[in-house]
Amino acid sequence: MNSKFKLLLFAAGKLDKIGGIQRSYQILLNFLIENGWDITLVGFWEGREYDRNKLSYSLSNKIKIKIINYGFETNDLKEVEKVKNIIREESPSISLIVNSSRVGLSFAQILNEMNESYVYSIRGSSEYCLKYLWPCRKSLEVVFQASNYSHVLMPSYADFFPKDIKEKIRVIPSQIEPAQVMANVADKNSDEDFVILYSGRFSFEKRIDLLISAFSMIKDSNPEWKLLLVGDGPEKESLINLVKDLSLSTHISFLSVNNTEAMYDIYPRVHLKVLPSEQEGCPMALREAMAHSIPVIAFEECSGANEIIEHNKNGLLVGGGDRVSNLAQAIEVLIHSPELRETMGGNALETSREYDPEIINKAWEKLILDGMQAESNYSKEMISSRAEAKHTLRKFSESEKYWNHYLFERDKTVFENHKDDYYLVFGSTFFDHVYYLENYVDVKRSGEDPLLHYISVGWKCGFNPSEEFSTEKYIKYYMDGDAKGLCPLTHYLEVGRFSGARAIFVSSGYYTKWPRRRRTWKQNKKDPYLTVFNKNLKK
């Protein structure tokens, strides 16, 4: 292929951090370069200064790399203009957006505004992305509808979408490199004990705490077995403390690695891989272990993992109920049966061959090429829904709103009935739409305006507007008589804050999971609310 096709890829994840998405860029882009593509990669960077030598995974020097700031996430119009300039300079044949979060909508808005074609890819399960990363279902769907084609990692992720969107979704799993050295899962290592492995990011959804707790239940009866936790992330310190609290420091060790080659040196010494996540996309760490002939264990409700593992064939899927106890039992099943480990490991190896890079890279190239001539394959319904979605994106681009919590449905009658309360609460730090929609996912699925939902019906259901304001506790301590028929947050803002009432935290757990979401108040000393609030904080 001649260098006549130009691909502009908008990347998720930080390019100087190890991860499955970053690894997939390396494998795919180097393949496309070899096939004659002209490629520019636009991504984020963790360090202060970009240094190509510090990429998490090396890329061909023929691939151009452009770095943009995380400020883009918060509607920084200077950064938006920077992205537009990159698009003008590169003039791509087509763009590929790989982003599972709301940032993907901003990229889509810009490309749509500039009449550029794009393929859109999410790398988590559709339900997970909706719950944690998008304000509402409508905002996620509009990006898929406006794309030339879209991509998900697993068949069930496509089933999440309506028919007109599903028709132009391609399912392609991520690649894994074949292993050269297999693990001997039946026998003890010559210089070590038996090893159970977790590898991946240390973050809340991975539920490594469940694995540590399960291991604590079986370690005394299986003294030759050790648990190795490989990775890094925001939960690392709390996990280290948990290991200490359970007196497991001699049985559990932590290790950080910064490249796939280092992981491939570890796998041959492993006897069992456990992935205790609540949700996954198409977990690379799981399939890499399988490529080394290692049996695997995961929870049966874990997306991605439950479509890769065949229970009792290449691994075990653990049921619900007491998850710690059930996980401990599953681990012990394989601990006590080296023959079963060996059989399942062989089947795991066969499964891993379905993710061979050559097969998947060719599927990706076909998807991108099809994206360049997609409209010729559309039905009338697809053309109509795409035109509507592009119009929606264009409306918000014209108002310079390159972010996506403007895509909520608002019932006009309900809004008229609660208009005064809406304007009172709107903009208050005590209403956090991200918190509200994450905790009350049915509201997110419906696409309703979260603030209107809370002040009209949500508070009656006991829903909390933010981590900082407990609806139930406020009613209990500060509302009686006629006030009981009022929305607690509007009562607090109109009356309570001036008469000594306090906003009471729901719990302290939310900001453990999302520390960056903790907000700070910009205090104005002349504001009577803040004066009263600060006095009450000291009581």
Side-chain angles (χ1 to χ4, degrees), residues 497 523-537:
R497 62 181 178 173
Q523 297 196 7
N524 179 347
K525 292 180 180 178
K526 295 180 181 179
D527 186 338
Y529 149 59
L530 286 168
T531 304
V532 173
F533 178 79
N534 290 330
K535 283 181 179 177
N536 280 286
L537 276 181

PDB file of all heavy atoms in Angstrom, residues 497 523-537:
ATOM      1  N   ARG A 497     -29.545  27.164  55.723  1.00  0.00           N
ATOM      2  CA  ARG A 497     -28.155  27.647  55.861  1.00  0.00           C
ATOM      3  C   ARG A 497     -28.085  28.959  56.637  1.00  0.00           C
ATOM      4  O   ARG A 497     -27.039  29.306  57.174  1.00  0.00           O
ATOM      5  CB  ARG A 497     -27.513  27.796  54.490  1.00  0.00           C
ATOM      6  CG  ARG A 497     -28.189  28.820  53.576  1.00  0.00           C
ATOM      7  CD  ARG A 497     -27.493  28.880  52.231  1.00  0.00           C
ATOM      8  NE  ARG A 497     -28.130  29.803  51.317  1.00  0.00           N
ATOM      9  CZ  ARG A 497     -27.638  30.137  50.129  1.00  0.00           C
ATOM     10  NH1 ARG A 497     -26.488  29.621  49.734  1.00  0.00           N
ATOM     11  NH2 ARG A 497     -28.272  30.978  49.348  1.00  0.00           N
ATOM     12  N   GLN A 523     -14.428  30.582  48.658  1.00  0.00           N
ATOM     13  CA  GLN A 523     -15.125  31.305  49.704  1.00  0.00           C
ATOM     14  C   GLN A 523     -15.098  32.820  49.466  1.00  0.00           C
ATOM     15  O   GLN A 523     -14.064  33.399  49.186  1.00  0.00           O
ATOM     16  CB  GLN A 523     -14.498  30.979  51.056  1.00  0.00           C
ATOM     17  CG  GLN A 523     -14.635  29.498  51.404  1.00  0.00           C
ATOM     18  CD  GLN A 523     -14.375  29.248  52.867  1.00  0.00           C
ATOM     19  OE1 GLN A 523     -14.215  30.185  53.628  1.00  0.00           O
ATOM     20  NE2 GLN A 523     -14.338  27.998  53.261  1.00  0.00           N
ATOM     21  N   ASN A 524     -16.265  33.406  49.589  1.00  0.00           N
ATOM     22  CA  ASN A 524     -16.431  34.848  49.513  1.00  0.00           C
ATOM     23  C   ASN A 524     -16.835  35.325  50.907  1.00  0.00           C
ATOM     24  O   ASN A 524     -17.893  34.992  51.414  1.00  0.00           O
ATOM     25  CB  ASN A 524     -17.523  35.200  48.489  1.00  0.00           C
ATOM     26  CG  ASN A 524     -17.749  36.696  48.378  1.00  0.00           C
ATOM     27  OD1 ASN A 524     -17.288  37.465  49.216  1.00  0.00           O
ATOM     28  ND2 ASN A 524     -18.457  37.097  47.343  1.00  0.00           N
ATOM     29  N   LYS A 525     -15.993  36.083  51.549  1.00  0.00           N
ATOM     30  CA  LYS A 525     -16.224  36.468  52.947  1.00  0.00           C
ATOM     31  C   LYS A 525     -17.507  37.271  53.125  1.00  0.00           C
ATOM     32  O   LYS A 525     -18.057  37.338  54.213  1.00  0.00           O
ATOM     33  CB  LYS A 525     -15.024  37.253  53.465  1.00  0.00           C
ATOM     34  CG  LYS A 525     -13.761  36.400  53.587  1.00  0.00           C
ATOM     35  CD  LYS A 525     -12.589  37.211  54.097  1.00  0.00           C
ATOM     36  CE  LYS A 525     -11.337  36.353  54.205  1.00  0.00           C
ATOM     37  NZ  LYS A 525     -10.159  37.117  54.665  1.00  0.00           N
ATOM     38  N   LYS A 526     -17.979  37.909  52.041  1.00  0.00           N
ATOM     39  CA  LYS A 526     -19.188  38.714  52.147  1.00  0.00           C
ATOM     40  C   LYS A 526     -20.456  37.877  51.994  1.00  0.00           C
ATOM     41  O   LYS A 526     -21.555  38.373  52.198  1.00  0.00           O
ATOM     42  CB  LYS A 526     -19.172  39.824  51.081  1.00  0.00           C
ATOM     43  CG  LYS A 526     -18.052  40.832  51.275  1.00  0.00           C
ATOM     44  CD  LYS A 526     -18.100  41.901  50.196  1.00  0.00           C
ATOM     45  CE  LYS A 526     -16.958  42.918  50.379  1.00  0.00           C
ATOM     46  NZ  LYS A 526     -16.979  43.949  49.314  1.00  0.00           N
ATOM     47  N   ASP A 527     -20.302  36.646  51.604  1.00  0.00           N
ATOM     48  CA  ASP A 527     -21.450  35.770  51.388  1.00  0.00           C
ATOM     49  C   ASP A 527     -22.003  35.319  52.739  1.00  0.00           C
ATOM     50  O   ASP A 527     -21.322  34.609  53.481  1.00  0.00           O
ATOM     51  CB  ASP A 527     -21.013  34.555  50.558  1.00  0.00           C
ATOM     52  CG  ASP A 527     -22.191  33.660  50.162  1.00  0.00           C
ATOM     53  OD1 ASP A 527     -23.225  33.715  50.841  1.00  0.00           O
ATOM     54  OD2 ASP A 527     -22.052  32.932  49.171  1.00  0.00           O
ATOM     55  N   PRO A 528     -23.225  35.711  53.118  1.00  0.00           N
ATOM     56  CA  PRO A 528     -23.766  35.362  54.439  1.00  0.00           C
ATOM     57  C   PRO A 528     -23.891  33.852  54.620  1.00  0.00           C
ATOM     58  O   PRO A 528     -23.753  33.339  55.725  1.00  0.00           O
ATOM     59  CB  PRO A 528     -25.140  36.033  54.459  1.00  0.00           C
ATOM     60  CG  PRO A 528     -25.487  36.244  53.016  1.00  0.00           C
ATOM     61  CD  PRO A 528     -24.201  36.491  52.325  1.00  0.00           C
ATOM     62  N   TYR A 529     -24.156  33.113  53.506  1.00  0.00           N
ATOM     63  CA  TYR A 529     -24.256  31.655  53.596  1.00  0.00           C
ATOM     64  C   TYR A 529     -22.945  31.074  54.072  1.00  0.00           C
ATOM     65  O   TYR A 529     -22.905  30.267  54.997  1.00  0.00           O
ATOM     66  CB  TYR A 529     -24.640  31.073  52.236  1.00  0.00           C
ATOM     67  CG  TYR A 529     -24.089  29.693  51.994  1.00  0.00           C
ATOM     68  CD1 TYR A 529     -24.402  28.638  52.844  1.00  0.00           C
ATOM     69  CD2 TYR A 529     -23.243  29.448  50.926  1.00  0.00           C
ATOM     70  CE1 TYR A 529     -23.889  27.376  52.630  1.00  0.00           C
ATOM     71  CE2 TYR A 529     -22.729  28.192  50.704  1.00  0.00           C
ATOM     72  CZ  TYR A 529     -23.058  27.160  51.557  1.00  0.00           C
ATOM     73  OH  TYR A 529     -22.541  25.921  51.337  1.00  0.00           O
ATOM     74  N   LEU A 530     -21.847  31.496  53.478  1.00  0.00           N
ATOM     75  CA  LEU A 530     -20.550  30.925  53.830  1.00  0.00           C
ATOM     76  C   LEU A 530     -20.144  31.325  55.245  1.00  0.00           C
ATOM     77  O   LEU A 530     -19.482  30.559  55.942  1.00  0.00           O
ATOM     78  CB  LEU A 530     -19.488  31.344  52.821  1.00  0.00           C
ATOM     79  CG  LEU A 530     -19.610  30.630  51.469  1.00  0.00           C
ATOM     80  CD1 LEU A 530     -18.722  31.289  50.427  1.00  0.00           C
ATOM     81  CD2 LEU A 530     -19.226  29.160  51.604  1.00  0.00           C
ATOM     82  N   THR A 531     -20.535  32.524  55.681  1.00  0.00           N
ATOM     83  CA  THR A 531     -20.220  32.944  57.045  1.00  0.00           C
ATOM     84  C   THR A 531     -20.904  32.018  58.046  1.00  0.00           C
ATOM     85  O   THR A 531     -20.290  31.509  58.981  1.00  0.00           O
ATOM     86  CB  THR A 531     -20.683  34.396  57.282  1.00  0.00           C
ATOM     87  OG1 THR A 531     -20.078  35.238  56.307  1.00  0.00           O
ATOM     88  CG2 THR A 531     -20.295  34.869  58.668  1.00  0.00           C
ATOM     89  N   VAL A 532     -22.190  31.763  57.826  1.00  0.00           N
ATOM     90  CA  VAL A 532     -22.936  30.858  58.699  1.00  0.00           C
ATOM     91  C   VAL A 532     -22.368  29.448  58.602  1.00  0.00           C
ATOM     92  O   VAL A 532     -22.172  28.765  59.600  1.00  0.00           O
ATOM     93  CB  VAL A 532     -24.438  30.854  58.310  1.00  0.00           C
ATOM     94  CG1 VAL A 532     -25.189  29.781  59.093  1.00  0.00           C
ATOM     95  CG2 VAL A 532     -25.049  32.215  58.576  1.00  0.00           C
ATOM     96  N   PHE A 533     -22.090  29.030  57.377  1.00  0.00           N
ATOM     97  CA  PHE A 533     -21.578  27.670  57.151  1.00  0.00           C
ATOM     98  C   PHE A 533     -20.265  27.447  57.901  1.00  0.00           C
ATOM     99  O   PHE A 533     -20.084  26.453  58.585  1.00  0.00           O
ATOM    100  CB  PHE A 533     -21.355  27.460  55.647  1.00  0.00           C
ATOM    101  CG  PHE A 533     -20.794  26.113  55.310  1.00  0.00           C
ATOM    102  CD1 PHE A 533     -21.611  24.998  55.265  1.00  0.00           C
ATOM    103  CD2 PHE A 533     -19.448  25.955  55.046  1.00  0.00           C
ATOM    104  CE1 PHE A 533     -21.104  23.751  54.959  1.00  0.00           C
ATOM    105  CE2 PHE A 533     -18.919  24.710  54.750  1.00  0.00           C
ATOM    106  CZ  PHE A 533     -19.764  23.614  54.693  1.00  0.00           C
ATOM    107  N   ASN A 534     -19.351  28.418  57.800  1.00  0.00           N
ATOM    108  CA  ASN A 534     -18.050  28.260  58.445  1.00  0.00           C
ATOM    109  C   ASN A 534     -18.164  28.285  59.969  1.00  0.00           C
ATOM    110  O   ASN A 534     -17.448  27.569  60.664  1.00  0.00           O
ATOM    111  CB  ASN A 534     -17.097  29.359  57.977  1.00  0.00           C
ATOM    112  CG  ASN A 534     -16.687  29.165  56.527  1.00  0.00           C
ATOM    113  OD1 ASN A 534     -16.633  28.040  56.053  1.00  0.00           O
ATOM    114  ND2 ASN A 534     -16.432  30.249  55.821  1.00  0.00           N
ATOM    115  N   LYS A 535     -19.076  29.078  60.490  1.00  0.00           N
ATOM    116  CA  LYS A 535     -19.285  29.095  61.939  1.00  0.00           C
ATOM    117  C   LYS A 535     -19.772  27.739  62.424  1.00  0.00           C
ATOM    118  O   LYS A 535     -19.344  27.223  63.439  1.00  0.00           O
ATOM    119  CB  LYS A 535     -20.314  30.173  62.312  1.00  0.00           C
ATOM    120  CG  LYS A 535     -19.754  31.592  62.292  1.00  0.00           C
ATOM    121  CD  LYS A 535     -20.836  32.579  62.697  1.00  0.00           C
ATOM    122  CE  LYS A 535     -20.287  34.005  62.701  1.00  0.00           C
ATOM    123  NZ  LYS A 535     -21.341  34.979  63.033  1.00  0.00           N
ATOM    124  N   ASN A 536     -20.692  27.158  61.644  1.00  0.00           N
ATOM    125  CA  ASN A 536     -21.240  25.865  62.054  1.00  0.00           C
ATOM    126  C   ASN A 536     -20.225  24.744  61.909  1.00  0.00           C
ATOM    127  O   ASN A 536     -20.294  23.755  62.629  1.00  0.00           O
ATOM    128  CB  ASN A 536     -22.488  25.545  61.227  1.00  0.00           C
ATOM    129  CG  ASN A 536     -23.707  26.280  61.756  1.00  0.00           C
ATOM    130  OD1 ASN A 536     -24.242  25.921  62.791  1.00  0.00           O
ATOM    131  ND2 ASN A 536     -24.109  27.318  61.054  1.00  0.00           N
ATOM    132  N   LEU A 537     -19.301  24.876  60.967  1.00  0.00           N
ATOM    133  CA  LEU A 537     -18.263  23.863  60.818  1.00  0.00           C
ATOM    134  C   LEU A 537     -17.408  23.764  62.084  1.00  0.00           C
ATOM    135  O   LEU A 537     -16.891  22.706  62.420  1.00  0.00           O
ATOM    136  CB  LEU A 537     -17.355  24.192  59.629  1.00  0.00           C
ATOM    137  CG  LEU A 537     -17.834  23.739  58.251  1.00  0.00           C
ATOM    138  CD1 LEU A 537     -16.801  24.117  57.208  1.00  0.00           C
ATOM    139  CD2 LEU A 537     -18.069  22.238  58.195  1.00  0.00           C
TER     140      LEU A 537
END
